[in-house]
Structures are given as C-alpha cells and as structure tokens.
mmCIF file of all heavy atoms in Angstrom:
data_model
loop_
_atom_site.group_PDB
_atom_site.id
_atom_site.type_symbol
_atom_site.label_atom_id
_atom_site.label_comp_id
_atom_site.label_asym_id
_atom_site.label_seq_id
_atom_site.Cartn_x
_atom_site.Cartn_y
_atom_site.Cartn_z
ATOM 1 N N MET A 32 7.856 9.763 5.898
ATOM 2 C CA MET A 32 6.760 8.931 5.491
ATOM 3 C C MET A 32 6.572 7.758 6.427
ATOM 4 O O MET A 32 7.493 7.095 6.831
ATOM 5 C CB MET A 32 6.951 8.350 4.055
ATOM 6 C CG MET A 32 5.767 7.570 3.563
ATOM 7 S SD MET A 32 5.912 7.270 1.802
ATOM 8 C CE MET A 32 4.962 5.712 1.681
ATOM 9 N N PRO A 33 5.296 7.538 6.889
ATOM 10 C CA PRO A 33 5.035 6.391 7.721
ATOM 11 C C PRO A 33 5.186 5.088 6.963
ATOM 12 O O PRO A 33 5.057 5.042 5.790
ATOM 13 C CB PRO A 33 3.602 6.600 8.211
ATOM 14 C CG PRO A 33 2.962 7.423 7.120
ATOM 15 C CD PRO A 33 4.095 8.248 6.548
ATOM 16 N N GLN A 34 5.556 4.065 7.650
ATOM 17 C CA GLN A 34 5.667 2.702 7.094
ATOM 18 C C GLN A 34 4.328 2.058 7.082
ATOM 19 O O GLN A 34 3.615 2.037 8.149
ATOM 20 C CB GLN A 34 6.656 1.874 7.929
ATOM 21 C CG GLN A 34 6.798 0.433 7.460
ATOM 22 C CD GLN A 34 7.888 -0.246 8.210
ATOM 23 O OE1 GLN A 34 8.898 0.309 8.468
ATOM 24 N NE2 GLN A 34 7.650 -1.545 8.442
ATOM 25 N N PHE A 35 3.866 1.565 5.947
ATOM 26 C CA PHE A 35 2.586 0.833 5.856
ATOM 27 C C PHE A 35 2.830 -0.624 5.935
ATOM 28 O O PHE A 35 3.641 -1.147 5.093
ATOM 29 C CB PHE A 35 1.832 1.280 4.592
ATOM 30 C CG PHE A 35 1.397 2.749 4.739
ATOM 31 C CD1 PHE A 35 2.202 3.734 4.248
ATOM 32 C CD2 PHE A 35 0.172 3.038 5.319
ATOM 33 C CE1 PHE A 35 1.762 5.063 4.320
ATOM 34 C CE2 PHE A 35 -0.250 4.301 5.438
ATOM 35 C CZ PHE A 35 0.511 5.384 4.951
ATOM 36 N N ASN A 36 2.258 -1.267 6.905
ATOM 37 C CA ASN A 36 2.552 -2.661 7.219
ATOM 38 C C ASN A 36 1.543 -3.672 6.730
ATOM 39 O O ASN A 36 0.330 -3.380 6.690
ATOM 40 C CB ASN A 36 2.668 -2.729 8.768
ATOM 41 C CG ASN A 36 3.815 -1.940 9.288
ATOM 42 O OD1 ASN A 36 4.933 -2.169 9.050
ATOM 43 N ND2 ASN A 36 3.405 -0.880 10.065
ATOM 44 N N PRO A 37 1.985 -4.871 6.453
ATOM 45 C CA PRO A 37 1.130 -5.939 5.857
ATOM 46 C C PRO A 37 0.331 -6.688 6.940
ATOM 47 O O PRO A 37 -0.563 -7.455 6.619
ATOM 48 C CB PRO A 37 2.087 -6.858 5.111
ATOM 49 C CG PRO A 37 3.330 -6.732 5.809
ATOM 50 C CD PRO A 37 3.452 -5.295 6.354
ATOM 51 N N ASP A 38 0.698 -6.495 8.257
ATOM 52 C CA ASP A 38 0.116 -7.212 9.336
ATOM 53 C C ASP A 38 -0.989 -6.364 10.000
ATOM 54 O O ASP A 38 -0.729 -5.236 10.454
ATOM 55 C CB ASP A 38 1.180 -7.539 10.340
ATOM 56 C CG ASP A 38 0.722 -8.331 11.524
ATOM 57 O OD1 ASP A 38 -0.561 -8.461 11.740
ATOM 58 O OD2 ASP A 38 1.572 -8.784 12.276
ATOM 59 N N PRO A 39 -2.263 -6.842 10.006
ATOM 60 C CA PRO A 39 -3.329 -6.035 10.580
ATOM 61 C C PRO A 39 -3.127 -5.691 12.092
ATOM 62 O O PRO A 39 -3.800 -4.846 12.573
ATOM 63 C CB PRO A 39 -4.572 -6.869 10.364
ATOM 64 C CG PRO A 39 -4.129 -8.251 9.930
ATOM 65 C CD PRO A 39 -2.726 -8.123 9.445
ATOM 66 N N ALA A 40 -2.213 -6.423 12.752
ATOM 67 C CA ALA A 40 -2.021 -6.141 14.143
ATOM 68 C C ALA A 40 -1.036 -4.959 14.369
ATOM 69 O O ALA A 40 -0.931 -4.503 15.424
ATOM 70 C CB ALA A 40 -1.450 -7.404 14.834
ATOM 71 N N GLN A 41 -0.430 -4.573 13.236
ATOM 72 C CA GLN A 41 0.514 -3.395 13.312
ATOM 73 C C GLN A 41 -0.150 -2.078 12.974
ATOM 74 O O GLN A 41 -1.170 -2.050 12.324
ATOM 75 C CB GLN A 41 1.691 -3.669 12.319
ATOM 76 C CG GLN A 41 2.595 -4.856 12.705
ATOM 77 C CD GLN A 41 3.690 -5.058 11.741
ATOM 78 O OE1 GLN A 41 3.409 -5.216 10.551
ATOM 79 N NE2 GLN A 41 4.892 -4.998 12.186
ATOM 80 N N THR A 42 0.453 -1.007 13.398
ATOM 81 C CA THR A 42 -0.038 0.330 12.999
ATOM 82 C C THR A 42 0.119 0.559 11.499
ATOM 83 O O THR A 42 0.967 -0.168 10.836
ATOM 84 C CB THR A 42 0.691 1.443 13.746
ATOM 85 O OG1 THR A 42 2.068 1.365 13.455
ATOM 86 C CG2 THR A 42 0.472 1.392 15.310
ATOM 87 N N ASN A 43 -0.651 1.380 10.898
ATOM 88 C CA ASN A 43 -0.598 1.705 9.488
ATOM 89 C C ASN A 43 -0.730 0.477 8.632
ATOM 90 O O ASN A 43 0.033 0.255 7.717
ATOM 91 C CB ASN A 43 0.711 2.481 9.168
ATOM 92 C CG ASN A 43 0.796 3.757 9.867
ATOM 93 O OD1 ASN A 43 -0.221 4.525 10.007
ATOM 94 N ND2 ASN A 43 1.974 4.105 10.381
ATOM 95 N N TYR A 44 -1.782 -0.306 8.937
ATOM 96 C CA TYR A 44 -1.953 -1.479 8.179
ATOM 97 C C TYR A 44 -2.422 -1.185 6.746
ATOM 98 O O TYR A 44 -3.291 -0.365 6.542
ATOM 99 C CB TYR A 44 -3.080 -2.337 8.916
ATOM 100 C CG TYR A 44 -3.565 -3.473 8.083
ATOM 101 C CD1 TYR A 44 -2.723 -4.513 7.629
ATOM 102 C CD2 TYR A 44 -4.972 -3.645 7.765
ATOM 103 C CE1 TYR A 44 -3.232 -5.608 6.908
ATOM 104 C CE2 TYR A 44 -5.427 -4.675 7.076
ATOM 105 C CZ TYR A 44 -4.530 -5.667 6.674
ATOM 106 O OH TYR A 44 -5.058 -6.737 5.979
ATOM 107 N N MET A 45 -1.773 -1.826 5.753
ATOM 108 C CA MET A 45 -2.179 -1.754 4.368
ATOM 109 C C MET A 45 -2.120 -3.157 3.782
ATOM 110 O O MET A 45 -1.009 -3.742 3.655
ATOM 111 C CB MET A 45 -1.192 -0.787 3.592
ATOM 112 C CG MET A 45 -1.612 -0.723 2.073
ATOM 113 S SD MET A 45 -0.453 0.223 1.087
ATOM 114 C CE MET A 45 -0.861 1.939 1.671
ATOM 115 N N PRO A 46 -3.250 -3.736 3.477
ATOM 116 C CA PRO A 46 -3.196 -5.100 2.958
ATOM 117 C C PRO A 46 -2.526 -5.168 1.637
ATOM 118 O O PRO A 46 -2.458 -4.174 0.866
ATOM 119 C CB PRO A 46 -4.694 -5.508 2.842
ATOM 120 C CG PRO A 46 -5.492 -4.205 2.931
ATOM 121 C CD PRO A 46 -4.580 -3.232 3.550
ATOM 122 N N ASP A 47 -1.961 -6.320 1.314
ATOM 123 C CA ASP A 47 -1.215 -6.452 0.083
ATOM 124 C C ASP A 47 -2.046 -6.124 -1.166
ATOM 125 O O ASP A 47 -1.490 -5.550 -2.162
ATOM 126 C CB ASP A 47 -0.690 -7.941 -0.100
ATOM 127 C CG ASP A 47 0.503 -8.142 0.798
ATOM 128 O OD1 ASP A 47 1.230 -7.178 1.241
ATOM 129 O OD2 ASP A 47 0.767 -9.299 1.146
ATOM 130 N N ASP A 48 -3.379 -6.421 -1.168
ATOM 131 C CA ASP A 48 -4.144 -6.071 -2.355
ATOM 132 C C ASP A 48 -4.283 -4.562 -2.563
ATOM 133 O O ASP A 48 -4.267 -4.115 -3.671
ATOM 134 C CB ASP A 48 -5.516 -6.825 -2.321
ATOM 135 C CG ASP A 48 -6.401 -6.402 -1.089
ATOM 136 O OD1 ASP A 48 -5.901 -6.083 -0.039
ATOM 137 O OD2 ASP A 48 -7.641 -6.459 -1.291
ATOM 138 N N HIS A 49 -4.347 -3.812 -1.416
ATOM 139 C CA HIS A 49 -4.387 -2.377 -1.545
ATOM 140 C C HIS A 49 -2.950 -1.875 -2.110
ATOM 141 O O HIS A 49 -2.920 -1.071 -2.972
ATOM 142 C CB HIS A 49 -4.626 -1.708 -0.230
ATOM 143 C CG HIS A 49 -6.101 -1.719 0.126
ATOM 144 N ND1 HIS A 49 -6.588 -0.844 1.042
ATOM 145 C CD2 HIS A 49 -7.116 -2.475 -0.255
ATOM 146 C CE1 HIS A 49 -7.861 -1.015 1.203
ATOM 147 N NE2 HIS A 49 -8.214 -2.052 0.403
ATOM 148 N N LEU A 50 -1.960 -2.405 -1.551
ATOM 149 C CA LEU A 50 -0.543 -2.024 -1.948
ATOM 150 C C LEU A 50 -0.408 -2.253 -3.477
ATOM 151 O O LEU A 50 0.055 -1.401 -4.152
ATOM 152 C CB LEU A 50 0.478 -2.777 -1.074
ATOM 153 C CG LEU A 50 1.908 -2.606 -1.537
ATOM 154 C CD1 LEU A 50 2.393 -1.156 -1.298
ATOM 155 C CD2 LEU A 50 2.833 -3.620 -0.842
ATOM 156 N N ASN A 51 -0.729 -3.497 -3.880
ATOM 157 C CA ASN A 51 -0.467 -3.831 -5.253
ATOM 158 C C ASN A 51 -1.352 -2.942 -6.197
ATOM 159 O O ASN A 51 -0.927 -2.560 -7.277
ATOM 160 C CB ASN A 51 -0.754 -5.275 -5.477
ATOM 161 C CG ASN A 51 0.283 -6.133 -4.769
ATOM 162 O OD1 ASN A 51 1.476 -5.701 -4.650
ATOM 163 N ND2 ASN A 51 -0.107 -7.287 -4.285
ATOM 164 N N ALA A 52 -2.602 -2.690 -5.794
ATOM 165 C CA ALA A 52 -3.426 -1.908 -6.634
ATOM 166 C C ALA A 52 -2.987 -0.391 -6.684
ATOM 167 O O ALA A 52 -2.963 0.207 -7.822
ATOM 168 C CB ALA A 52 -4.868 -1.916 -6.087
ATOM 169 N N ILE A 53 -2.515 0.127 -5.577
ATOM 170 C CA ILE A 53 -2.003 1.503 -5.574
ATOM 171 C C ILE A 53 -0.777 1.622 -6.394
ATOM 172 O O ILE A 53 -0.628 2.527 -7.195
ATOM 173 C CB ILE A 53 -1.726 1.936 -4.126
ATOM 174 C CG1 ILE A 53 -3.010 2.169 -3.319
ATOM 175 C CG2 ILE A 53 -0.831 3.179 -4.028
ATOM 176 C CD1 ILE A 53 -2.915 2.209 -1.808
ATOM 177 N N VAL A 54 0.165 0.658 -6.274
ATOM 178 C CA VAL A 54 1.363 0.613 -7.089
ATOM 179 C C VAL A 54 1.047 0.610 -8.616
ATOM 180 O O VAL A 54 1.592 1.362 -9.375
ATOM 181 C CB VAL A 54 2.340 -0.482 -6.700
ATOM 182 C CG1 VAL A 54 3.447 -0.646 -7.675
ATOM 183 C CG2 VAL A 54 2.923 -0.141 -5.306
ATOM 184 N N GLN A 55 0.102 -0.287 -9.008
ATOM 185 C CA GLN A 55 -0.277 -0.415 -10.375
ATOM 186 C C GLN A 55 -0.849 0.958 -10.897
ATOM 187 O O GLN A 55 -0.547 1.371 -11.959
ATOM 188 C CB GLN A 55 -1.199 -1.613 -10.554
ATOM 189 C CG GLN A 55 -0.650 -2.870 -10.406
ATOM 190 C CD GLN A 55 0.715 -3.080 -11.141
ATOM 191 O OE1 GLN A 55 0.806 -2.915 -12.350
ATOM 192 N NE2 GLN A 55 1.762 -3.495 -10.362
ATOM 193 N N TYR A 56 -1.690 1.565 -10.071
ATOM 194 C CA TYR A 56 -2.181 2.890 -10.471
ATOM 195 C C TYR A 56 -1.016 3.923 -10.644
ATOM 196 O O TYR A 56 -1.035 4.640 -11.606
ATOM 197 C CB TYR A 56 -3.254 3.316 -9.368
ATOM 198 C CG TYR A 56 -3.558 4.814 -9.507
ATOM 199 C CD1 TYR A 56 -4.296 5.261 -10.601
ATOM 200 C CD2 TYR A 56 -3.145 5.690 -8.568
ATOM 201 C CE1 TYR A 56 -4.667 6.601 -10.697
ATOM 202 C CE2 TYR A 56 -3.531 7.057 -8.634
ATOM 203 C CZ TYR A 56 -4.194 7.469 -9.738
ATOM 204 O OH TYR A 56 -4.551 8.818 -9.870
ATOM 205 N N LEU A 57 -0.216 3.995 -9.588
ATOM 206 C CA LEU A 57 0.858 5.016 -9.659
ATOM 207 C C LEU A 57 1.769 4.795 -10.888
ATOM 208 O O LEU A 57 2.219 5.802 -11.491
ATOM 209 C CB LEU A 57 1.710 4.996 -8.377
ATOM 210 C CG LEU A 57 1.025 5.415 -7.152
ATOM 211 C CD1 LEU A 57 1.909 5.253 -5.947
ATOM 212 C CD2 LEU A 57 0.592 6.903 -7.251
ATOM 213 N N LEU A 58 1.973 3.577 -11.324
ATOM 214 C CA LEU A 58 2.791 3.322 -12.520
ATOM 215 C C LEU A 58 2.179 3.891 -13.751
ATOM 216 O O LEU A 58 2.891 4.067 -14.771
ATOM 217 C CB LEU A 58 3.037 1.801 -12.647
ATOM 218 C CG LEU A 58 3.971 1.191 -11.652
ATOM 219 C CD1 LEU A 58 3.974 -0.326 -11.704
ATOM 220 C CD2 LEU A 58 5.369 1.771 -11.673
ATOM 221 N N THR A 59 0.894 4.168 -13.728
ATOM 222 C CA THR A 59 0.172 4.666 -14.943
ATOM 223 C C THR A 59 0.211 6.214 -14.987
ATOM 224 O O THR A 59 -0.225 6.772 -16.011
ATOM 225 C CB THR A 59 -1.260 4.248 -14.997
ATOM 226 O OG1 THR A 59 -1.974 4.812 -14.008
ATOM 227 C CG2 THR A 59 -1.389 2.778 -15.015
ATOM 228 N N GLN A 60 0.611 6.895 -13.921
ATOM 229 C CA GLN A 60 0.512 8.289 -13.887
ATOM 230 C C GLN A 60 1.562 9.050 -14.708
ATOM 231 O O GLN A 60 2.780 8.642 -14.580
ATOM 232 C CB GLN A 60 0.565 8.813 -12.409
ATOM 233 C CG GLN A 60 -0.607 8.341 -11.602
ATOM 234 C CD GLN A 60 -1.926 8.592 -12.362
ATOM 235 O OE1 GLN A 60 -2.384 9.693 -12.511
ATOM 236 N NE2 GLN A 60 -2.592 7.490 -12.791
ATOM 237 N N GLN A 61 1.161 10.012 -15.466
ATOM 238 C CA GLN A 61 2.082 10.775 -16.272
ATOM 239 C C GLN A 61 2.374 12.122 -15.638
ATOM 240 O O GLN A 61 1.728 12.459 -14.636
ATOM 241 C CB GLN A 61 1.457 11.014 -17.651
ATOM 242 C CG GLN A 61 1.000 9.759 -18.324
ATOM 243 C CD GLN A 61 2.196 8.853 -18.664
ATOM 244 O OE1 GLN A 61 3.225 9.307 -19.170
ATOM 245 N NE2 GLN A 61 2.105 7.578 -18.324
#
C-alpha cells in the first residue's frame, strides 16, 4: 500500500479532511 501524505508537496497527498472523512465512512461498513 502506498503511503498517503498530509503535505501537498509530497507524493500521494491526502488532506486531513479527506483522511478523516474516509476513516469515519470505513468505520460504518458492515
């Protein structure tokens, strides 16, 4: 798995708001 980074200057940038939203969604999956 690639590392998703919080810094827009790094590869595979994922902002914290996306990360937090994705995690909250995944926590609801059955």
